[in-house]
Amino acid sequence: MVKPQHRPFHAHRITSLIALVLLFTSFLLLLLVGISLTIIKAIYIIRVYSTADNGQPATSIATELRFGVWGLCASSALDEPSWFTNDGTCYGPKLGYNPPSAITDILGLDATLVQGVLKGLLTVLILHLVAAGFSLCALIPSMFLASHSFTIASLVFAIITALFSTIVFAIDLAVVIVVKNQLPNLGSSIKLAADFGNGVWMVLTAVILTWAAVILLSARACYCCGIRRQPRKF
């Protein structure tokens, strides 16, 4: 017979539900970014685009590149991507992809700069999915906070997830900042700019939610911050 403390949501239901929502949302965000463009074309890490304005009619020549974890997409003014779609020419999905020079040469991107971006994204790929895995491991025991052992297990996995996701966000941030700083060095004739992709902000949201879950689970583990020990009914 299953003991009452081993039943989901037997005690500390509100705390458990909040922790569950926080960790599940974090897991979902990290997973989505981990399978971003080109698998999920709407999610990307960095956007490099042309700022040149030659006053000519729009053509099918690519003026924007969006880098994801599994590939990249080149878009023109005739097929501009939206929040939910990207109908440009895509390369991937492939682990550790190396796009054809024909794609990057259109915007005049230096091969060294492109390789630096791809190396950073390959590192982030592994960490995104590792962080998502640990978030899932923290998610399951968070439903059994009546048990102190399950609470500690959930807390440990949540801390590991928070650390990994913080590292992932730092790497995402560094990759974009390096590209933004290197673009001016390509020469005055290269009119390019770079922006953060929505994947970076999704990871930041996951970081905040996971640390919030860590605080909540810590309060349950030490019976503090308004969370009290409940009398045993078994």
Side-chain angles (χ1 to χ4, degrees):
M1 181 178 180
V2 179
K3 294 182 179 180
Q5 66 267 34
H6 293 158
R7 296 173 183 170
F9 308 112
H10 177 72
H12 306 286
R13 289 186 179 88
I14 296 178
T15 303
S16 185
L17 286 171
I18 294 175
L20 185 67
V21 170
L22 292 174
L23 292 170
F24 177 75
T25 305
S26 174
F27 163 73
L28 189 60
L29 290 172
L30 291 169
L31 180 63
L32 289 175
V33 178
I35 55 175
S36 61
L37 192 152
T38 58
I39 298 176
I40 301 180
K41 294 183 178 181
I43 302 175
Y44 57 100
I45 304 296
I46 182 172
R47 168 178 173 249
V48 179
Y49 58 97
S50 172
T51 58
D53 185 10
N54 52 20
Q56 298 297 319
T59 67
S60 59
I61 298 176
T63 56
E64 177 180 319
L65 293 179
R66 291 188 174 186
F67 292 84
V69 173
W70 293 89
L72 62 82
C73 287
S75 304
S76 70
L78 297 180
D79 57 3
E80 293 182 345
S82 67
W83 280 98
F84 304 104
T85 61
N86 191 334
D87 297 324
T89 301
C90 297
Y91 180 82
K94 183 179 180 181
L95 178 62
Y97 63 93
N98 188 18
S101 58
I103 294 180
T104 55
D105 288 348
I106 293 175
L107 293 181
L109 285 176
D110 181 73
T112 304
L113 178 62
V114 174
Q115 288 302 319
V117 173
L118 299 181
K119 185 180 294 185
L121 293 178
L122 179 59
T123 303
V124 170
L125 163 65
I126 299 171
L127 293 179
H128 274 135
L129 299 179
V130 169
F134 278 115
S135 182
L136 182 61
C137 291
L139 172 71
I140 297 172
S142 70
M143 296 185 290
F144 303 91
L145 297 188
S147 168
H148 194 70
S149 299
F150 277 103
T151 301
I152 297 299
S154 182
L155 176 59
V156 169
F157 282 120
I159 292 174
I160 296 174
T161 303
L163 293 175
F164 267 106
S165 57
T166 301
I167 294 172
V168 168
F169 174 69
I171 296 176
D172 285 343
L173 204 64
V175 168
V176 180
I177 291 175
V178 166
V179 172
K180 290 171 72 72
N181 291 337
Q182 289 296 321
L183 285 178
N185 298 332
L186 298 181
S188 57
S189 61
I190 305 298
K191 304 295 184 181
L192 295 175
D195 280 337
F196 293 93
N198 51 18
V200 178
W201 308 124
M202 291 171 67
V203 174
L204 176 59
T205 303
V207 170
I208 295 173
L209 294 177
T210 306
W211 280 114
V214 168
I215 295 173
L216 190 65
L217 292 170
S218 297
R220 159 60 187 89
C222 66
Y223 296 108
C224 56
C225 301
I227 298 180
R228 299 179 180 179
R229 187 189 301 271
Q230 295 189 354
R232 291 179 175 271
K233 299 179 180 180
F234 42 84

